[in-house]
Amino acid sequence: MSDAPDSAILARLLAFADEAGPIALRQRDAGLAVTYKDGGLGQALTQADLAISRLLHERFGPRLIEEETAPDLGHAAARRLLAEDDWTFVGDPIDGTKPYAGGLPSWGTMVAACRAGRPRAGVISLPAWGDDKTDPFRTPPVEEQRGLLLAAVDGAACWAPTRGGRRAEALRPLVRPDRRTSHVGWLPVAAQRYTLDYDRGVFPWSESSAIADAALVALGRLDATFLNHMFWDAAPILPVLEALGFGLYRWPDLAPPPAMLIDLFDDRFSGHDALWMLCRDREQAEILARAVQAGRAGAR
């Protein structure tokens, strides 16, 4: 990996991503049976989520916190693991299950390696993100599907294209673009609880998954995004965006995050009751904080 981070722990995360991507692509190509957790329509589940959950456990063993089995582990036990100096892994088998099941490209797999309360390395892979919108009626074979992988360790971010769910080239350094778009990631959870004042020059954009919003921020397509989803959505994203200079600021007072990332989340691993802004600097956080208003969408 010329000029890219060289790390044994990053290699483990990358090896998982190279296995998980093809599983997800093949299962989607074969057809999916979609169910829903807790009897509602908000949390979709497919056989691919479960297959990649099993893969996470096979690759990372007992020091793993991941979406499908975290409720059985419990918040207190997860916090004890994360506080230790040994590596603890946090994974999301498929982030964006609804777009995944619906044939959209904005989904992927994520995994982080954490130590002493913080994610130190992360890999986020979007195996179908190279969706060709100029030929919308063609579905390429699994082995031809193109995507994007982002990774970070020790404060250095990198990227590589993927084909068929696996890295197609060596990692190369990722440098934060300087451009501004005036758009910010705006997932449905935030939109249910807050509104944006467009007169502040801030506009929402959503690809319906935390992983896609994070990728758009990393590539300079979005200026910032928000974090009020689940613990396993946040942990793999943060090393990549922090390596690019982004930081967490609490809305509305811009307070810094706690020393342990899991303390942002309640006993169900949910961050829905708070709003954290992922911004490139405090100045941007101040502008964004003024644009956010409490209250449901459409409320006055």
Side-chain angles (χ1 to χ4, degrees), residues 65-143:
I65 305 160
E66 61 90 23
E67 179 176 9
E68 306 309 332
T69 57
D72 296 329
L73 175 65
H75 187 281
R79 193 183 191 281
R80 286 194 296 270
L81 286 175
L82 290 160
E84 296 171 359
D85 287 333
D86 289 342
W87 288 110
T88 299
F89 301 91
V90 180
D92 190 346
I94 294 184
D95 182 63
T97 300
K98 291 179 78 66
Y100 168 70
L104 298 171
S106 52
W107 58 274
T109 61
M110 302 196 286
V111 65
C114 304
R115 178 181 275 171
R118 297 288 300 176
R120 311 292 178 176
V123 170
I124 64 177
S125 177
L126 298 99
W129 215 39
D131 184 35
D132 185 359
K133 296 180 176 62
T134 65
D135 190 1
F137 302 107
R138 177 179 179 266
T139 302
V142 166
E143 61 274 12

Side-chain angles (χ1 to χ4, degrees), residues 25-61:
L25 288 173
R26 287 195 300 266
Q27 294 215 10
R28 190 168 76 160
D29 188 60
L32 297 168
V34 183
T35 59
Y36 295 90
K37 303 175 188 178
D38 302 323
L41 297 180
Q43 293 291 319
L45 181 69
T46 71
Q47 63 266 40
D49 295 86
L50 299 177
I52 297 173
S53 169
R54 291 191 293 270
L55 178 65
L56 279 163
H57 285 273
E58 291 169 6
R59 295 294 171 264
F60 301 111

Side-chain angles (χ1 to χ4, degrees), residues 149-161:
L149 180 143
L150 303 175
V153 67
D154 296 331
C158 47
W159 72 279

Side-chain angles (χ1 to χ4, degrees), residues 134-260:
T134 65
D135 190 1
F137 302 107
R138 177 179 179 266
T139 302
V142 166
E143 61 274 12
E144 293 181 17
Q145 293 198 33
R146 299 166 65 92
L148 173 73
L149 180 143
L150 303 175
V153 67
D154 296 331
C158 47
W159 72 279
T162 67
R163 185 180 291 271
R166 295 184 176 89
R167 273 179 300 145
E169 300 176 15
L171 293 172
R172 63 196 75 175
L174 177 63
V175 179
R176 183 182 78 184
D178 289 331
R179 63 182 174 224
R180 302 294 179 96
T181 69
S182 299
H183 283 72
V184 297
W186 194 244
L187 291 173
V189 171
Q192 286 179 321
R193 292 168 169 79
Y194 306 92
T195 59
L196 280 176
D197 181 355
Y198 299 170
D199 288 337
R200 299 281 184 175
V202 177
F203 304 93
W205 185 269
S206 178
E207 297 258 338
S208 295
S209 69
I211 190 171
D213 281 4
L216 290 169
V217 172
L219 299 179
R221 308 291 177 85
L222 294 176
D223 292 341
T225 191
F226 293 88
L227 190 160
N228 72 326
H229 29 270
M230 308 298 286
F231 175 58
W232 40 82
D233 299 325
I237 287 169
L238 279 177
V240 175
L241 294 185
E242 287 178 342
L244 297 174
F246 289 83
L248 280 170
Y249 301 83
R250 188 175 68 187
W251 181 85
D253 61 3
L254 307 189
M260 290 192 63

